[in-house]
Amino acid sequence: ELHFSIMFKYSYIYAIVFLDLISISLIIPVWGTHLRSLGASHFHIALLGSTYSFLQFLSGTPIGALSDHYGRKAVLIVTICICSVAYFLLGCVKSFILIVLIRVLQGCLKHSQLLCKTLVNDQVPADQQTTIYGRMNGFSSLSFVIGPIIGGHLMEKSEGFYSLACSTAIIFLINALVVYFTVPNTIVPKKERKNASPLSDLMEVNWKECWPAFSLKMLGAAALFAYFSTVGLAMNEKFNLSPSEAGYTGALQGLTGGITGFAAGKIENIIFPSKNPFTKCFYSFIMLGIGFVGLALAPNLIIFMAAMVPISASSTLIRGFNNEIMYEQSSSDHKGLVAGAGASAAAISRFLAPIICGFTMDMFGNNSGFLLSALFSFTGAVLSLCLTKKSKAHVE
């Protein structure tokens, strides 16, 4: 029994992460198609997604502060229950305006992943946190393999989106019960609480030394968020997929992302002998851009799905190389600040890129969204090449 308790000491965190993401992954593959069926344009869908991302960016700090004051457990239960009701309402309403209002509420309150990370910081010894985060990522990948398949099949039933929304709401309520029975209620002492705003990290960081890493991070994030916000809808409209076929395709993306994440170290050693992170970013951005061009030109679903493989691999590598650049170019006592500012920089791209992409797709068609992602990628490649030459000149 003692061995069991040690083995599964933090299993409640994995359970919360898994239930949270599997509920979301039920809806993601069919969300854009549902909105299109209600008459929304590509631009309206992208604007809704960007608004949600922007609200997440703004509300993360206040929700974190509330969890410091009232406890992680209490805030998790309240926000999860409200989001459960919100997802049920999404299945009931047919008005795009009402959907926008519900998504605004969710954007302000849905911070389960953020609060789980604070739970790790609260409960897990520092030397074990990396392992816990790795397992959390593993459960995240697993949820995005299982969820889209179940969601795709549910969507094909009568009143499919309503069934999907109800299923999501039920999973959220189950998650609230898991939190209630398993999570210790941690309250941060008043003297240890930090007053921060979402923009504080960006204001405090030394941009002169960190702009290369932030620029590459923003370009990579712009390429990927433009892609993620449109790939499901564009694929459905381009190849006329059924919801279950879209679900299996989404599962393949999750599986590919998980495999490439675990194999990232070996891929780096085999493909990138150079130790210069800018050089590694250059080749990764080229591979990313080629993948997006492949999506735009794909004549059939097989080639389309094949083009997703270099996108999954290169995007995973770019994140790692960019972190390497950030930590190399920041002083040792500012690494946490730089990491926070990097996340804020990516959030700006997450807000802007889908809007630009949605507008482009309405003007020039589905493939233009992938070509826009390719443009962001090749711009990142050119910047990486310039920074490679600059870093070599500086060394010499």
Side-chain angles (χ1 to χ4, degrees), residues 149-294:
I149 296 173
I150 299 171
H153 283 287
L154 282 173
M155 190 67 176
E156 290 181 348
K157 296 183 180 297
S158 176
E159 292 291 322
F161 191 79
Y162 175 75
S163 301
L164 210 54
C166 288
S167 300
T168 301
I170 290 168
I171 295 172
F172 266 85
L173 288 178
I174 293 170
N175 209 6
L177 289 174
V178 171
V179 173
Y180 180 79
F181 287 111
T182 63
V183 174
N185 199 30
T186 307
I187 297 175
V188 176
K190 193 170 184 179
K191 62 182 179 181
E192 294 180 19
R193 295 175 197 162
K194 295 180 180 179
N195 292 318
S197 72
L199 296 172
S200 62
D201 286 342
L202 285 175
M203 295 296 187
E204 293 178 32
V205 78
N206 184 346
W207 279 87
K208 189 174 180 180
E209 67 177 22
C210 293
W211 75 264
F214 290 162
S215 300
L216 293 175
K217 192 172 187 72
M218 290 181 77
L219 285 166
L224 288 169
F225 285 126
Y227 161 69
F228 286 130
S229 68
T230 56
V231 63
L233 182 57
M235 183 170 54
N236 291 350
E237 294 184 354
K238 190 172 183 177
F239 301 113
N240 196 26
L241 299 183
S242 69
S244 60
E245 288 171 334
Y248 283 110
T249 307
L252 177 67
Q253 289 182 69
L255 183 63
T256 306
I259 292 171
T260 50
F262 285 119
K266 291 182 179 179
I267 293 171
E268 179 184 351
N269 292 332
I270 294 169
I271 301 177
F272 304 107
S274 169
K275 291 186 177 180
N276 189 318
F278 292 116
T279 304
K280 292 186 281 191
C281 271
F282 167 72
Y283 288 114
S284 298
F285 270 117
I286 290 289
M287 184 161 61
L288 187 65
I290 290 171
F292 289 131
V293 172

Side-chain angles (χ1 to χ4, degrees), residues 19-28 87 110 144 168 172:
L19 288 170
D20 180 62
L21 290 179
I22 199 170
S23 60
I24 301 306
S25 65
L26 289 174
I27 280 185
I28 283 177
Y87 271 105
K110 198 203 162 300
F144 276 94
T168 301
F172 266 85

Side-chain angles (χ1 to χ4, degrees), residues 214-230 281-282 284-290 292-293 318 348-360 368-384:
F214 290 162
S215 300
L216 293 175
K217 192 172 187 72
M218 290 181 77
L219 285 166
L224 288 169
F225 285 126
Y227 161 69
F228 286 130
S229 68
T230 56
C281 271
F282 167 72
S284 298
F285 270 117
I286 290 289
M287 184 161 61
L288 187 65
I290 290 171
F292 289 131
V293 172
I318 286 169
I348 294 170
S349 288
R350 185 178 180 182
F351 170 63
L352 293 175
I355 296 178
I356 299 169
C357 192
F359 178 77
T360 305
S368 61
F370 299 130
L371 294 176
L372 181 67
S373 288
L375 179 63
F376 287 134
S377 303
F378 290 132
T379 304
V382 171
L383 179 59
S384 298

Side-chain angles (χ1 to χ4, degrees), residues 52-133:
Y52 179 86
S53 299
F54 185 64
L55 290 169
Q56 288 265 288
F57 169 62
L58 289 180
S59 61
T61 302
I63 290 291
L66 284 172
S67 75
D68 287 343
H69 189 272
Y70 295 104
R72 317 294 186 212
K73 182 175 184 174
V75 173
L76 264 170
I77 290 172
V78 170
T79 54
I80 288 173
C81 287
I82 294 173
C83 286
S84 174
V85 175
Y87 271 105
F88 171 73
L89 292 175
L90 279 180
C92 298
V93 301
K94 302 294 183 185
S95 163
F96 186 73
I97 300 298
L98 290 177
I99 288 173
V100 169
L101 294 176
I102 294 168
R103 289 298 282 171
V104 166
L105 178 67
Q106 290 176 323
C108 292
L109 295 178
K110 198 203 162 300
H111 287 285
S112 306
Q113 299 298 310
L114 170 69
L115 293 171
C116 280
K117 288 176 182 175
T118 61
L119 278 176
V120 172
N121 290 330
D122 292 339
Q123 307 294 330
V124 182
D127 60 337
Q128 296 178 28
Q129 288 183 11
T130 302
T131 303
I132 300 299
Y133 281 128

